[in-house]
Amino acid sequence: MSPVFAMLAAMTLASAIAAMSFRKLVHSALSMILTFSGLASIYLHLNAQFVGLVQVLVYVGAVAILVVFAILLTRDSTRDSSVRSLAQSWLTGLLVAGAVFGTLATAIIGSRALDRALPQAAEITVKKIGEQLMTRYIIPLEVIALLLTAAMIGAVIIAMREKERK
Amino acid sequence: MNSLHQYLLFSALLFSVGLAGALTRRNAILVLIGVELMLNAANLNFIAFWRYGPNPEALTGIMFVIFSIAIAAAEAAVGLALIISIYRHYKTTNVDEVNELKG
Amino acid sequence: MDQIDQIFVSLKHWAVHFFPDALQPLVSAGLSIAALIAAFGSIFAITTWVERKALGRIQNRLGPNRVGPFGLLQPMADAIKMLTKEDIVPVSADHVVHYLAPFALIIPVSLALAVIPYGRNMALVDLDGGVLFFFAVGAAAEVAVFMAGWSSRNKYSILGAMRAIAQMISYEVPLVLSTISVVMIAGSLSLVKIVEAQNHFVGDWLPGWYVLTPWGFAGFVLFMIAAAAESNRAPFDLPEAESEIIAGYLTEYSGFKYALFFLGEYWGMFAVSGLAVTLFLGGWTAPFPFLAWVPSFVWFFAKLGALILLFIWIRGTLPRLRIDQLMSFAWKFLLPMSLINIVVAALWHFTAGWSFPSAPLWRWLLCAALVVIPYLGFGHALAGRRRFPKRVYQYAT
């Protein structure tokens, strides 16, 4: 295990656990930002520069800001913070998550197909990614463009204040 | 245990943390954050498999993650719009209390 | 001449060769970072003095003139004042987030400075996705602004932070879109390659800078407007409008933390001006062939200084916008203009093959017309029927 990966993994995991367990929503959102940045650094460590930068741009720049805005717009001022923040079935949820991890971990550790050495790093330029996007992946790209437009219009319509009906 | 194992184990752990959060917390925004964490764990798997795969020139893993990030952005926008709309209606973002179909 | 041009590069190589091989990359990076921080630290100090002097002259005052000759030591006095001030944190503030916010601003901003090529072979890192990196770390600054505003537990702070984030998100769109036209023509996201693409002369004397093409000029203007908004400079300084919301998200900051925010904002302005120089003004290239003997970094910093002066001039001239004007300006004018600009840049690219007589002139005129006509259309539509009387100024003598 390389020390760089160990450090990044520890930071990412700690901030992910923190994000899921803080009482204050804003603290959770800020820890989530740290998790996303840690994941972006792991992508950079894995030689996927473009994906790492896109991860920062989209998650830190857009998704995190959206989450923060949503938190500020839905603040419960009537409710005091001493109310339980866990769902009624929290123990079941935790057990399910633990069981999922157990299953995944046994499968991963037991797998023979994963025993392979790290291959030579390929030179991945942004230009290559762009060429692939414009040739082989052109239809997914167009579909994504349509999806994003639809999502944007949908989000605006859902969040728009309904007009007072007489 | 070599390094592909460690990436996969890490991503499984991240996935479980996200899942635990999504299942145990009551606030809808936190549930959404949990789902995002799970999605990111899956993305990490794609990148790790691409890096250790036999044919990195094909860029399949990278392309998958780029599209997945785009979809995640759309999903977050719509999800948060829904949460805001629910909040306007019920004056709460608690998933436990939003349990009736009546408008 | 080459030796003077490369003096910093060779100085670093000379200093690095004293260290053992294993340490050399680390020492090299450390030296570059130290040089960068020293350079931009002094530019920051000079800029605060120049800004106060220039604003003073624009507003018919003298500006700082007490400390040192012409008030030149004013930045020193300011620094001493800032560092010795008491660091006040509100009792109800969220202490951890309040403490971390200035660092969350200064780190991404200094990262953004790292990808800009300051001269020939003088980029700290030549990333393949340099432009993308710049915008990615720039997006992280919004988080710092939110942290500062939210953690202060002050209505003015949260109001300022919400304004700042809304403004930064809105103006990031035209900022990135106006950059895309350059990326399209240069065919690379690497800032070093973008400068190289402009490092030639048209007809032996006209520099190949993108600002001299119709789409490049329009892109430059759009970029500078969006950059002023992105770095919260007047006339887009609503997030910290003193007369409306005290100092916005900076209200509850004092002493060293306030100084860090101040530094971060100025460095953000330098970074985005440096990006404008690199993208549109040819980076470190000389404007005329006979001036090519001047070292490359001198050209870069001269252009950077010119853009900083432009920002100061604009700050002294234009009144602050209202928030609705700000939003409608971004979404109804800048966004469509920058989209049109991308199409014009594509047209410019595809008309490069024209070969009839005086083709370059026709190509230039066609593209210019395609930019100017929508500009007039949008300007007319936005201005509406309002008519303003001619302003009369009176100068003190």
Side-chain angles (χ1 to χ4, degrees):
Chain A
M1 192 185 272
S2 74
V4 178
F5 174 71
M7 259 155 53
L8 288 175
M11 185 196 87
T12 311
L13 213 54
S15 62
I17 293 169
M20 294 286 91
S21 45
F22 272 135
R23 279 198 99 83
K24 271 189 189 152
L25 279 176
V26 173
H27 288 171
S28 291
L30 292 177
S31 319
M32 178 194 75
I33 293 171
L34 201 60
T35 313
F36 290 153
S37 327
L39 272 165
S41 325
I42 291 176
Y43 293 162
L44 293 182
H45 183 61
L46 278 168
N47 211 23
Q49 193 193 78
F50 184 75
V51 177
L53 296 181
V54 167
Q55 165 96 2
V56 176
L57 195 66
V58 172
Y59 275 103
V60 179
V63 173
I65 299 294
L66 266 178
V67 168
V68 155
F69 258 75
I71 290 172
L72 290 183
L73 286 176
T74 60
R75 203 155 31 162
D76 256 338
S77 50
T78 50
R79 196 179 299 265
D80 63 327
S81 56
S82 60
V83 171
R84 257 173 3 107
S85 61
L86 289 176
Q88 282 133 15
S89 55
W90 64 274
L91 195 65
T92 329
L94 220 53
L95 285 177
V96 169
V100 166
F101 176 68
T103 320
L104 285 174
T106 21
I108 290 165
I109 292 169
S111 168
R112 283 289 143 86
L114 301 178
D115 282 327
R116 51 179 62 167
L118 184 66
Q120 197 65 40
E123 188 65 34
I124 301 299
T125 57
V126 181
K127 199 168 190 132
K128 266 186 206 159
I129 295 176
E131 272 161 7
Q132 289 269 306
L133 272 178
M134 282 294 139
T135 52
R136 198 171 154 202
Y137 296 93
I138 184 77
I139 291 172
L141 188 76
E142 298 291 334
V143 173
I144 280 283
L146 202 64
L147 177 91
L148 283 175
T149 317
M152 188 172 74
I153 296 171
V156 169
I157 287 174
I158 293 170
M160 211 157 47
R161 220 174 268 277
E162 279 178 52
K163 287 204 182 100
E164 296 294 320
R165 288 205 189 85
K166 280 171 191 167
Chain B
M1 194 163 78
N2 69 21
S3 36
L4 183 52
H5 282 108
Q6 94 198 5
Y7 284 109
L8 294 187
L9 272 181
F10 169 67
S11 117
L13 208 53
L14 199 64
F15 184 87
S16 314
V17 170
L19 184 63
L23 291 177
T24 55
R25 298 301 296 260
R26 299 171 81 206
N27 193 299
I29 294 174
L30 275 171
V31 174
L32 195 80
I33 294 179
V35 173
E36 291 287 342
L37 282 184
M38 285 149 72
L39 208 62
N40 270 284
N43 284 352
L44 178 61
N45 266 9
F46 277 117
I47 295 287
F49 277 124
W50 164 77
R51 182 72 180 81
Y52 283 84
N55 189 9
E57 292 291 332
L59 297 177
T60 326
I62 290 205
M63 287 303 165
F64 221 115
V65 174
I66 290 172
F67 287 124
S68 148
I69 288 177
I71 290 172
E75 173 241 311
V78 175
L80 290 167
L82 279 173
I83 291 172
I84 290 175
S85 155
I86 286 173
Y87 174 78
R88 289 219 184 100
H89 202 84
Y90 289 95
K91 296 284 165 248
T92 180
T93 51
N94 234 328
V95 279
D96 285 1
E97 290 171 36
V98 184
N99 53 7
E100 44 189 45
L101 287 171
K102 212 169 70 188
Chain C
M1 280 305 114
D2 249 15
Q3 281 159 351
I4 302 178
D5 188 26
Q6 297 295 304
I7 182 162
F8 293 114
V9 182
S10 20
L11 211 62
K12 190 176 91 174
H13 283 302
W14 175 77
V16 164
H17 95 277
F18 288 110
F19 292 89
D21 278 351
L23 279 179
Q24 277 191 3
L26 267 180
V27 173
S28 160
L31 279 177
S32 308
I33 292 167
L36 192 72
I37 288 176
F40 278 93
S42 15
I43 294 178
F44 166 66
I46 297 165
T47 305
T48 54
W49 178 79
V50 171
E51 177 154 30
R52 295 174 67 174
K53 265 305 202 207
L55 281 182
R57 292 318 303 172
I58 289 172
Q59 295 161 357
N60 231 337
R61 300 182 280 116
L62 282 176
N65 60 353
R66 293 289 114 177
V67 197
F70 307 107
L72 258 174
L73 295 179
Q74 188 67 38
M76 294 282 169
D78 282 345
I80 293 168
K81 188 198 84 169
M82 288 281 193
L83 294 183
T84 51
K85 251 188 169 176
E86 186 188 353
D87 179 23
I88 300 166
V89 181
V91 178
S92 60
D94 194 304
H95 288 260
V96 181
V97 181
H98 191 265
Y99 180 81
L100 287 178
F103 301 100
L105 180 70
I106 204 94
I107 292 170
V109 165
S110 2
L111 281 177
L113 287 174
V115 284
I116 295 168
Y118 298 101
R120 197 176 278 121
N121 306 327
M122 272 173 69
L124 254 66
V125 270
D126 176 18
L127 280 182
D128 184 43
V131 177
L132 194 64
F133 177 86
F134 189 95
F135 289 121
V137 294
E142 289 162 22
V143 178
V145 168
F146 170 76
M147 283 165 78
W150 178 79
S151 67
S152 296
R153 274 313 141 75
N154 180 322
K155 279 184 182 135
Y156 294 119
S157 295
I158 195 81
L159 210 57
M162 297 290 266
R163 276 186 179 190
I165 293 171
Q167 174 179 324
M168 283 165 129
I169 288 180
S170 309
Y171 280 83
E172 198 163 288
V173 179
L175 190 75
V176 174
L177 285 179
S178 56
T179 312
I180 286 190
S181 50
V182 173
V183 173
M184 265 165 60
I185 299 290
S188 175
L189 278 168
S190 155
L191 289 167
V192 173
K193 291 218 178 76
I194 288 175
V195 174
E196 265 158 25
Q198 301 176 70
N199 191 11
H200 61 88
F201 292 96
V202 184
D204 285 339
W205 58 274
L206 199 65
W209 302 353
Y210 288 141
V211 73
L212 297 176
T213 58
W215 59 269
F217 182 74
F220 177 66
V221 174
L222 292 169
F223 186 92
M224 287 309 280
I225 294 172
E230 235 1 59
S231 47
N232 294 336
R233 297 278 304 178
F236 304 104
D237 59 346
L238 284 100
E240 39 201 88
E242 294 89 347
S243 47
E244 298 169 22
I245 47 174
I246 307 183
Y249 52 90
L250 300 177
T251 304
E252 298 290 1
Y253 279 92
S254 59
F256 187 62
K257 285 186 215 152
Y258 180 78
L260 272 185
F261 263 113
F262 204 61
L263 182 73
E265 284 194 348
Y266 271 84
W267 276 13
M269 184 180 90
F270 299 156
V272 84
S273 308
L275 189 67
V277 168
T278 308
L279 290 176
F280 298 101
L281 300 181
W284 43 260
T285 58
F288 300 108
F290 63 87
L291 286 174
W293 56 271
V294 179
S296 52
F297 50 86
V298 173
W299 284 119
F300 180 87
F301 284 104
K303 290 171 190 172
L304 184 70
L307 286 189
I308 292 170
L309 283 179
L310 181 71
F311 272 127
I312 295 172
W313 182 19
I314 290 172
R315 178 176 170 187
T317 310
L318 293 178
R320 186 181 300 134
L321 271 74
R322 272 200 327 259
I323 190 96
D324 60 318
Q325 293 169 332
L326 182 95
M327 287 296 156
S328 69
F329 186 61
W331 294 105
K332 293 183 190 159
F333 179 78
L334 288 182
L335 180 62
M337 274 310 290
S338 47
L339 286 173
I340 289 168
N341 200 31
I342 291 178
V343 178
V344 175
L347 188 73
W348 179 266
H349 179 71
F350 285 118
T351 52
W354 280 4
S355 55
F356 52 81
S358 67
L361 183 72
W362 284 112
R363 178 186 177 209
W364 208 96
L365 285 178
L366 174 70
C367 290
L370 282 177
V371 174
V372 170
I373 292 168
Y375 167 75
L376 292 175
F378 283 121
H380 193 73
L382 268 187
R385 285 192 200 81
R386 275 170 293 163
R387 288 282 172 272
F388 301 104
K390 195 174 183 332
R391 292 192 194 180
V392 183
Y393 295 100
Q394 278 195 329
Y395 299 99
T397 44

